[in-house]
Amino acid sequence: MFDMSERSESAGVPGSGLVKGLAVTLKTMTKRSTTQQYPDVAPELPPRSRGVIALLEENCTVCMLCARECPDWCIYIDSHKEEVAVPGAARPRQRNVLDRFDIDFSLCMYCGICIEVCPFDALYWSPEFEYAEYDIKDLLHDKDHLGEWMVTVPPPPAHDRNGEPAKEETAAARKATIPAAPAARPNT
C-alpha cells in the first residue's frame, strides 16, 4: 500500500515545484524577445529545409514508385508508350513518356517518401514555402508548376573530405592497383 510518509518523501520540500516554475518564468522574462518581421523580411531558413516538392521532368521514367509508396495517395501520374528507333537494333525500343504528374498538396503530409524512393532523382525538396491558395482546388499542382520550383532547389552539400570514399571510387582505385595477370609460361 501507499502511505502518506512515502508520498511526502517523493514530493520533496513543499512548494518546491512552485519555486521551480517561478524560476523558469523569471529567466524567460529577463531575455529579449526575438520577433521576425515575416512578410516584410524573408526568414533565414535552415539549409535543406522542406518546403515544396519540385520535379525534374527529364529524369522521370514513369516508374510509378513515388505514387505507389505515397501513404496519402496524393501523386497522380499518367503516361503513354512511344517507340524509339535505335540504329542497328533489330526492332524499335519503347519508352514511357510522362503525360501528367500532379501532386495534391492539400493531401500531402510532406513525409518525403516519394523523394527517397525515386531511383532517378526526379523529385527534390525545394525550400519554397509561400504557395498558399485561396481555394483548396488550386493546391493540385501539375508538372509544369512543379518544374518551376527546380530553380529554387539548392545544390547538394559538398562531400566530406574526411569521410568514407564512395564505393565506385574504391573499386576504381582497387582495379588500378592490381597488376595485369602475367602471361602463362610454356611448360618445357
Side-chain angles (χ1 to χ4, degrees):
M1 292 292 295
F2 183 76
D3 63 354
M4 294 301 283
S5 62
E6 291 177 10
R7 185 173 173 186
S8 63
E9 289 174 10
S10 64
V13 179
S16 64
L18 177 66
V19 172
K20 287 180 185 177
L22 288 174
V24 170
T25 303
L26 287 172
K27 187 169 35 171
T28 306
M29 286 176 54
T30 59
K31 293 182 182 177
R32 286 184 54 81
S33 63
T34 55
T35 303
Q36 294 186 1
Q37 306 298 324
Y38 163 62
D40 301 326
V41 179
E44 290 185 28
L45 299 173
R48 312 299 291 172
S49 60
R50 294 180 176 190
V52 70
I53 299 169
L55 171 69
L56 185 59
E57 188 176 345
E58 301 87 51
N59 288 0
C60 184
T61 61
V62 196
C63 65
M64 305 287 281
L65 280 174
C66 56
R68 282 187 295 209
E69 296 296 324
C70 180
D72 292 333
W73 291 78
C74 64
I75 300 174
Y76 310 105
I77 300 174
D78 288 331
S79 68
H80 70 276
K81 293 199 182 280
E82 193 174 82
E83 288 193 355
V84 178
V86 179
R91 59 186 172 95
R93 306 279 167 103
Q94 288 188 346
R95 72 179 191 107
N96 288 328
V97 178
L98 184 65
D99 293 329
R100 175 184 179 209
F101 193 101
D102 294 346
I103 298 179
D104 191 352
F105 285 105
S106 65
L107 297 175
C108 183
M109 65 179 181
Y110 304 92
C111 63
I113 293 174
C114 57
I115 296 169
E116 294 295 323
V117 300
C118 182
F120 301 103
D121 293 330
L123 298 174
Y124 292 91
W125 280 118
S126 167
E128 185 67 35
F129 63 94
E130 295 177 326
Y131 55 95
E133 300 288 346
Y134 288 107
D135 191 3
I136 196 167
K137 291 182 267 179
D138 295 333
L139 286 172
L140 181 68
H141 295 187
D142 62 352
K143 65 181 180 177
D144 297 328
H145 201 158
L146 297 172
E148 291 172 6
W149 282 318
M150 276 306 296
V151 296
T152 63
V153 173
H159 293 290
D160 184 8
R161 293 181 190 202
N162 298 327
E164 185 177 307
K167 291 184 286 186
E168 295 85 3
E169 293 174 358
T170 309
R174 192 177 305 130
K175 281 184 179 179
T177 58
I178 296 175
R185 292 186 186 171
N187 291 339
T188 57

